[in-house]
Amino acid sequence: MNVIGELRAAGCAFAEREAELLEDAAASGPDLEALVRRRCAGEPLEHLLGWVEFRGRRLIVGPGVFVPRRRTELLSELADGSGVLVELCCGAGPIVATAAAAKTYAADIDRTAAEYAARNAPEATVLVGDLFRPLPGVLRGTVDVIAANAPYVPTAAIRTMPPEARDNEPHRALDGGPDGLTLHRRIAMDAPLWLRPGGRVLIETGRQQATYTVAALRAVGLDTHIEIDDERQATVAVGVKPS
């Protein structure tokens, strides 16, 4: 079987590297031909491997959970620090799994996502529920960093996404509402209640949406700025609670 040729014919841009990874995965049990067939049909490579590399770590992923992208490494790097870290819309838990913090919490409305996060960050307290709702009340006013890669794809734009993501990742993990900012506004609204003075809320956003995400943070009294990493095509809106 010409694995590279099959992958290249299916449109895989990095066919040589993907062939190597699939061959390694097949060495531990799965049938290589079946893996290649599934990949050529559009199944995400990370779901087939069972992991994704993120900040030098292999995070466990699979069907039913959003696959962390390299651009979200900026969000994790910005979240590094001591104290209390909360990751909202955590998915597989890439932030609590890789950012340095003394105490970590993660929350997702989807139970499957929370199960992946608990496997990737066993030291974190992982909760199931809508945004801040499942967090213990004792955290109010004490959180150092709130980090969120909340869905920010406008509803109508989901149909234009690559089929690999559109057809294989949870719709709820992609859909950010009519303008992509529904959850950003909700996070901004409640963030000041949970942050300590000087605490930060970090929200991954789109480059064209960043000014609107920042406006939502500024509207609740936070000092704001935008962090951009052109190499990783990453944009993060930052809000800081005044001391």
Side-chain angles (χ1 to χ4, degrees), residues 87-170:
E87 181 179 7
L88 300 178
C89 303
C90 68
I95 310 305
V96 289
T98 58
K103 201 164 188 179
T104 52
Y105 294 81
D108 199 289
I109 199 168
D110 185 84
R111 187 170 298 277
T112 297
E115 289 171 355
Y116 277 103
R119 294 173 68 188
N120 286 319
E123 73 289 347
T125 299
V126 181
L127 304 162
V128 178
D130 185 29
L131 298 182
F132 297 96
R133 192 168 298 169
L135 296 179
V138 294
L139 288 181
R140 286 180 179 246
T142 71
V143 177
D144 293 271
V145 177
I146 298 165
N149 179 18
Y152 56 90
V153 179
T155 303
I158 291 176
R159 60 183 172 80
T160 69
M161 294 180 68
E164 181 175 318
R166 183 187 67 221
D167 298 338
N168 291 280
E169 294 189 286

Side-chain angles (χ1 to χ4, degrees), residues 141 191-201 221-223 239-243:
L193 300 175
W194 296 88
L195 291 173
R196 66 163 177 79
R200 298 172 293 143
V201 56
L222 301 178
D223 298 326
V240 181
K241 185 174 180 176
S243 299

Side-chain angles (χ1 to χ4, degrees), residues 23 33 58 65 74 103 119-120 136 147-148 152 158 167 192 202 220 231 233 242:
E23 287 166 356
E33 186 172 347
R58 286 188 176 184
V65 70
L74 175 63
K103 201 164 188 179
R119 294 173 68 188
N120 286 319
Y152 56 90
I158 291 176
D167 298 338
L202 313 170
V220 296
E231 180 184 353
Q233 298 184 323

